Amino acid sequence: MTSSSTPGLARFNTLAGGGATAALHEVCASAAWVSIILSRRPYPTVEALLSASDAAMAELSGEDLAEAMAGHPPIGRPKPGDPASSREQRGMAGASEELRDEMLELNLAYQKRFGHVFLICATGATGEQMRDAVKARIENSPEQERGHVRTELGRINRIRLSRLVEEEKD
């Protein structure tokens, strides 16, 4: 992503409150994150918007993180009718039945251990890479895992925000 302004960024900067709120909720389900991003508009560059997203993510409380995570479906089960989760989890689309079953078991074990879905920036990752990540991270302490979740949410938000300000609207 370049650090220059784009027509999509200009559109985002001038989007009316309700439209901007709805667009940002598609990026991240945390109301606090959405509020922070909206409060800092207008953004001079895409990089400034992405940096604001990183800063907002760092400010989120545990409750805010839980709210953000609740907007993400388990790996291997994208939300029906949600093109973002389907696109992001494309690496599982062609996975074998064996790998899908293994991911379901791992997702359930992870959720039982940590109380929330396994969250990873799945864009560009294969099903095997996602499986290996959940296997490695399930051994983390809750504190370590919160750090991973915050990082992964930040990566996801950056990708989604970039897509939001790149899209041309008619």
Side-chain angles (χ1 to χ4, degrees), residues 16-75:
T21 299
L24 287 172
H25 270 290
E26 292 296 316
V27 172
C28 182
S30 165
W33 180 89
V34 169
S35 178
I36 292 167
I37 298 302
L38 286 175
S39 72
R40 297 180 182 165
R41 284 194 308 170
Y43 294 95
T45 63
V46 172
E47 191 53 44
L49 172 62
L50 298 177
S51 293
S53 175
D54 295 343
M57 185 56 58
E59 294 176 32
L60 296 184
S61 69
E63 287 180 8
D64 298 329
L65 280 175
E67 183 180 33
M69 285 185 288
H72 291 270
I75 295 294

Side-chain angles (χ1 to χ4, degrees), residues 4-164:
S4 63
S5 186
T6 66
L9 178 62
R11 184 190 70 253
F12 170 74
N13 279 332
T14 59
L15 199 56
T21 299
L24 287 172
H25 270 290
E26 292 296 316
V27 172
C28 182
S30 165
W33 180 89
V34 169
S35 178
I36 292 167
I37 298 302
L38 286 175
S39 72
R40 297 180 182 165
R41 284 194 308 170
Y43 294 95
T45 63
V46 172
E47 191 53 44
L49 172 62
L50 298 177
S51 293
S53 175
D54 295 343
M57 185 56 58
E59 294 176 32
L60 296 184
S61 69
E63 287 180 8
D64 298 329
L65 280 175
E67 183 180 33
M69 285 185 288
H72 291 270
I75 295 294
R77 293 184 284 158
K79 290 183 206 170
D82 178 3
S85 65
S86 295
R87 180 177 50 250
E88 292 164 354
Q89 293 191 28
R90 191 172 297 146
M92 285 300 294
S96 68
E97 194 63 36
E98 180 179 272
L99 180 55
R100 288 179 178 280
D101 290 346
E102 185 177 12
M103 279 303 293
L104 176 60
E105 288 178 31
L106 287 166
N107 278 325
L108 292 172
Y110 179 97
Q111 191 161 356
K112 182 177 181 183
R113 175 160 166 71
F114 295 108
H116 56 79
V117 299
F118 172 69
L119 194 87
I120 186 170
C121 182
T123 300
T126 66
E128 290 81 4
Q129 289 169 322
M130 289 182 256
R131 177 204 55 213
D132 293 347
V134 71
K135 280 182 170 182
R137 286 176 45 196
I138 202 165
E139 300 301 323
N140 287 339
S141 70
E143 296 77 23
Q144 289 172 314
E145 195 52 25
R146 272 192 297 279
H148 281 289
V149 165
R150 192 178 296 272
T151 298
E152 295 298 317
L153 278 168
R155 292 177 62 207
I156 293 165
N157 289 357
R158 277 181 155 259
I159 290 167
R160 290 180 175 186
L161 275 174
S162 295
R163 183 175 291 280
L164 175 69

